[in-house]
């Protein structure tokens, strides 16, 4: 990925972090995530990371600041108007994957611990 594309993705993530911290952003994530995942289908590594991030986002012990960061990646994935439009076959999800990896790397310790504690399985019971 080029530095220019990475900068554009990070810029969009920073904007979406503000949206994810609002009630409207949270509602968008909660009502749209599952349907978007079903549309993407075969990108299992990306989907698995996004599912963990979604569970982490929904978990009541996750701080508002970290929810906003993870929520930005989830909104980036959900909203079709990102750096590479999702309408482009396969290529449209390259930037979605990059956004997820950027956020995952930022919170890797917490997300890995969250996963190893089995919290992802409990998260759908809220």
């Amino acid at each position: 990925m080029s530095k220019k594309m990475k900068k554009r993705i990070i810029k969009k993530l920073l904007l979406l972090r503000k949206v994810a911290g609002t009630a409207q952003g949270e509602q968008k994530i909660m009502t749209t995530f599952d349907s978007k995942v079903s549309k993407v289908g075969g990108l299992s590594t990306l989907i698995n990371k996004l599912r963990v991030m979604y569970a982490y986002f929904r978990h009541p012990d996750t701080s508002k600041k970290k929810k906003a960061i993870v929520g930005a990646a989830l909104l980036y994935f959900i909203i079709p108007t990102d750096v590479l439009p999702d309408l482009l076959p396969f290529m449209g999800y390259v930037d979605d994957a990059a956004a997820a990896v950027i956020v995952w790397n930022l919170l890797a310790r917490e997300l890995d611990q969250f996963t190893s504690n089995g919290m992802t399985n409990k998260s759908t019971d809220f």
Side-chain angles (χ1 to χ4, degrees), residues 86-101:
D86 293 345
L87 300 174
L88 299 171
F90 182 70
M91 290 302 295
Y93 294 108
V94 169
D95 61 325
D96 293 357
V101 168

Side-chain angles (χ1 to χ4, degrees), residues 44-54 100-101 104 112:
S44 63
T45 302
L46 171 61
I47 297 303
N48 290 339
K49 287 202 180 301
L50 288 166
R51 285 190 189 278
V52 170
M53 290 166 52
Y54 180 67
V101 168
W104 186 280
D112 288 340

Side-chain angles (χ1 to χ4, degrees), residues 78-91:
I78 291 168
I79 298 171
T81 56
D82 42 37
V83 174
L84 292 174
D86 293 345
L87 300 174
L88 299 171
F90 182 70
M91 290 302 295

Side-chain angles (χ1 to χ4, degrees), residues 13 15 24-25 28 32 38 51 55 84 99 107 115 118-119 121 123:
L13 283 169
L15 292 172
Q24 294 85 0
K28 176 79 171 175
T32 314
S38 67
R51 285 190 189 278
L84 292 174
L107 299 173
T115 303
M119 301 303 289
N121 296 333
S123 64

Side-chain angles (χ1 to χ4, degrees), residues 5-73:
M5 178 183 265
K6 187 174 181 179
K7 282 184 178 182
R8 289 177 65 195
I9 291 169
I10 290 171
K11 184 178 178 181
K12 183 87 172 185
L13 283 169
L14 291 172
L15 292 172
L16 290 173
R17 181 179 69 177
K18 292 177 184 175
V19 175
T22 67
Q24 294 85 0
E26 184 173 344
Q27 185 65 27
K28 176 79 171 175
I29 293 165
M30 302 296 281
T31 59
T32 314
F33 180 77
D34 287 329
S35 65
K36 180 69 177 205
V37 165
S38 67
K39 288 180 188 175
V40 173
L43 303 171
S44 63
T45 302
L46 171 61
I47 297 303
N48 290 339
K49 287 202 180 301
L50 288 166
R51 285 190 189 278
V52 170
M53 290 166 52
Y54 180 67
Y56 183 77
F57 177 84
R58 293 189 63 203
H59 197 277
D61 293 338
T62 303
S63 72
K64 285 188 173 221
K65 181 179 178 181
K66 290 180 181 173
K67 275 188 184 201
I69 293 168
V70 170

